[in-house]
Amino acid sequence: MIIVITGTPGSGKSTIVDLLSKKLGFEKLHVSSFLIQNKAFSEYDELRQSYVIDEEKAFHLIDSFIKNRNVVIETIYPSLISHADKVIVLRKDPRVLYVELKRRGWGELKIAENVMAEILGVISGEAKEYFGNICEINVTNKKPEEVVEQILSNNCDIVDWLNIEEIQDLLISLDKVISSYEDSISDE
């Protein structure tokens, strides 16, 4: 059985994967560290402080690893997973996520892009596109054990941050931050 846990950085994927894999007795795969260890990247993006994944190499490495295994996969790249029995998208209130990413010491652009991705449901949209049937879980203010129980009971949430006026305002301010980096981004 293949269970994919995805969501924006800071949504709690690693913690949930660790707890869920232990509870089920499954192996776990943290995709980003797995890909870095196996040098499945083409370069390092200094501006965003992250690796640029070689998607073809990554897809084949992951596919080989998960073959004939029971595994819980943690990833921000659901499209790199060839198949899954269950896909869970962890969602976190963008205002809380912003604070979490800032606490990590991330750069302004990286925070803005990731929080905007959460507001717009970018990872959720990608997961729906590749897998069709997904389960979103709003993890905001929930204990990890509660989230695991929600996953095991197939208790999904409907998440739409754009209905909240304060988050609409946050989106506008994030867009301004990203726009201030346009010259640097367009040079890539």
Side-chain angles (χ1 to χ4, degrees):
M1 176 176 230
I2 307 294
I3 301 173
V4 174
I5 307 292
T6 190
T8 54
S11 60
K13 295 178 304 298
S14 295
T15 301
I16 299 305
V17 165
D18 290 346
L19 283 171
L20 186 61
S21 63
K22 186 175 182 179
K23 186 162 187 110
L24 295 173
F26 285 13
E27 292 183 68
K28 59 187 170 186
L29 175 64
H30 297 281
V31 168
S32 293
S33 56
F34 176 76
L35 296 179
I36 291 167
Q37 288 170 354
N38 287 283
K39 298 184 180 6
F41 55 88
S42 55
E43 63 182 297
Y44 185 78
D45 182 337
E46 291 291 338
L47 184 62
R48 290 182 178 84
Q49 303 165 326
S50 62
Y51 289 95
V52 177
I53 300 300
D54 177 335
E55 290 184 22
E56 189 174 323
K57 184 175 182 180
F59 185 86
H60 292 298
L61 278 168
I62 294 166
D63 202 42
S64 293
F65 180 86
I66 65 175
K67 196 168 289 210
N68 301 317
R69 294 181 192 228
N70 289 319
V71 63
V72 182
I73 302 170
E74 176 262 324
T75 185
I76 59 171
Y77 313 106
S79 62
L80 293 178
I81 313 303
S82 62
H83 62 282
D85 299 293
K86 185 183 269 196
V87 178
I88 308 297
V89 182
L90 303 182
R91 306 292 305 272
K92 185 179 264 187
D93 184 309
R95 297 163 292 190
V96 175
L97 182 63
Y98 182 89
V99 171
E100 166 64 22
L101 298 181
K102 192 131 182 104
R103 185 189 62 73
R104 291 182 180 188
W106 284 18
E108 181 181 51
L109 177 62
K110 190 172 183 177
I111 292 170
E113 288 178 333
N114 281 283
V115 174
M116 183 179 274
E118 174 59 39
I119 293 171
L120 299 175
V122 171
I123 293 177
S124 185
E126 181 181 324
K128 284 177 192 165
E129 180 181 332
Y130 283 89
F131 296 104
N133 190 22
I134 67 165
C135 176
E136 289 185 321
I137 297 181
N138 180 355
V139 299
T140 311
N141 300 322
K142 290 181 184 165
K143 293 181 176 137
E145 296 78 13
E146 292 175 279
V147 174
V148 167
E149 288 308 314
Q150 197 170 341
I151 290 168
L152 293 173
S153 65
N154 293 314
N155 184 9
C156 306
D157 297 318
I158 296 171
V159 180
D160 182 4
W161 303 124
L162 289 171
N163 286 331
I164 303 168
E165 191 173 328
E166 190 179 326
I167 291 177
Q168 293 170 11
D169 295 341
L170 176 59
L171 182 62
I172 291 166
S173 68
L174 295 171
D175 187 51
K176 288 177 184 173
V177 169
I178 293 169
S179 295
S180 73
Y181 285 87
E182 270 184 5
D183 290 339
S184 300
I185 294 170
S186 62
D187 290 343
E188 293 179 352

